């Protein structure tokens, strides 16, 4: 099994709260950054999505906070897609410190919306496969 796609992020001081640890909402920003980085690495741009008349949508997200992060911590944010048979897909993400400590686990459900019809497309996997120059990054 191949390693999931990941990006490195350094926690910045302005992202921390009064206790000195990473603000809870920033974990979600890191996850979003990793998802868009994966799309870009696979050859999918926002412009390409719009030209195809679709856009990714988040339908559900769960964050499990495991360990605090503080300013200066370096983390890897992973991103992996799990495809089902319907209109949605799962996204599994982990935020891990460089020493291996898991700081957070993020699980999401997403879809691909037809921007004209304002409804989810029937098979998002096929859109990603067609748009990507490297569909293997999506497990396709």
């Amino acid at each position: 099994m191949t390693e999931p796609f990941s990006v490195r992020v350094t926690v910045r001081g302005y992202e921390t709260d009064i206790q000195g640890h990473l603000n809870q909402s920033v974990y979600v920003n890191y996850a979003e950054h990793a998802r868009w980085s994966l799309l870009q690495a696979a050859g999918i741009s926002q412009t390409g999505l719009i030209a195809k008349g679709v856009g990714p949508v988040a339908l559900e997200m769960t964050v499990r906070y495991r360990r605090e992060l503080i300013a200066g911590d370096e983390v890897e944010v992973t991103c992996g897609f799990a495809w089902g048979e319907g209109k949605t897909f799962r996204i599994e993400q982990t935020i891990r410190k460089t020493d291996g400590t898991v700081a957070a686990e993020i699980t999401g459900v997403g879809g691909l919306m037809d921007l004209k019809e304002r409804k989810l497309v029937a098979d998002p996997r096929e859109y990603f496969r067609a748009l990507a120059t490297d569909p293997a990054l999506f497990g396709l």
Side-chain angles (χ1 to χ4, degrees), residues 3 5-6 12 18 22-23 36-37 40 42 47 49 56 60-62 79-81 89 92 105 107 128 134-135:
E3 290 293 316
F5 179 85
S6 69
R12 295 164 288 259
I18 195 72
L22 188 64
N23 181 283
W36 279 105
S37 294
Q40 182 178 14
T47 305
L49 288 164
E60 178 182 310
M61 182 176 291
T62 302
C79 186
F81 281 62
F89 48 86
E92 300 289 337
E105 298 165 323
T107 304
F128 280 103
D134 188 0

Side-chain angles (χ1 to χ4, degrees), residues 3-129:
E3 290 293 316
F5 179 85
S6 69
V7 294
R8 184 168 283 221
V9 177
T10 301
V11 176
R12 295 164 288 259
Y14 63 83
E15 297 171 325
T16 60
D17 60 20
I18 195 72
Q19 291 91 354
H21 59 243
L22 188 64
N23 181 283
Q24 54 88 22
S25 67
V26 180
Y27 288 84
V28 175
N29 289 339
Y30 288 1
E32 181 79 1
H33 172 64
R35 289 191 300 272
W36 279 105
S37 294
L38 171 56
L39 265 67
Q40 182 178 14
I44 298 176
S45 66
Q46 287 180 326
T47 305
L49 288 164
I50 291 168
K52 192 74 168 171
V54 296
V57 291
L59 302 169
E60 178 182 310
M61 182 176 291
T62 302
V63 182
R64 290 175 198 87
Y65 301 99
R66 301 294 188 195
R67 295 287 183 270
E68 70 177 350
L69 294 173
I70 60 173
D73 281 346
E74 289 195 15
V75 297
E76 290 288 329
V77 185
T78 65
C79 186
F81 281 62
W83 303 97
E85 296 302 318
K87 296 179 179 182
T88 63
F89 48 86
R90 293 183 62 77
I91 303 171
E92 300 289 337
Q93 298 184 262
T94 302
I95 300 176
R96 182 175 285 118
K97 295 170 77 169
T98 55
D99 69 2
T101 302
V102 174
E105 298 165 323
I106 298 120
T107 304
V109 175
L112 203 55
M113 180 183 283
D114 179 308
L115 299 176
K116 183 178 178 190
E117 298 295 321
R118 307 308 286 179
K119 294 181 180 180
L120 296 179
V121 301
D123 190 355
R125 175 179 28 203
E126 290 309 312
Y127 279 85
F128 280 103
R129 191 186 322 270

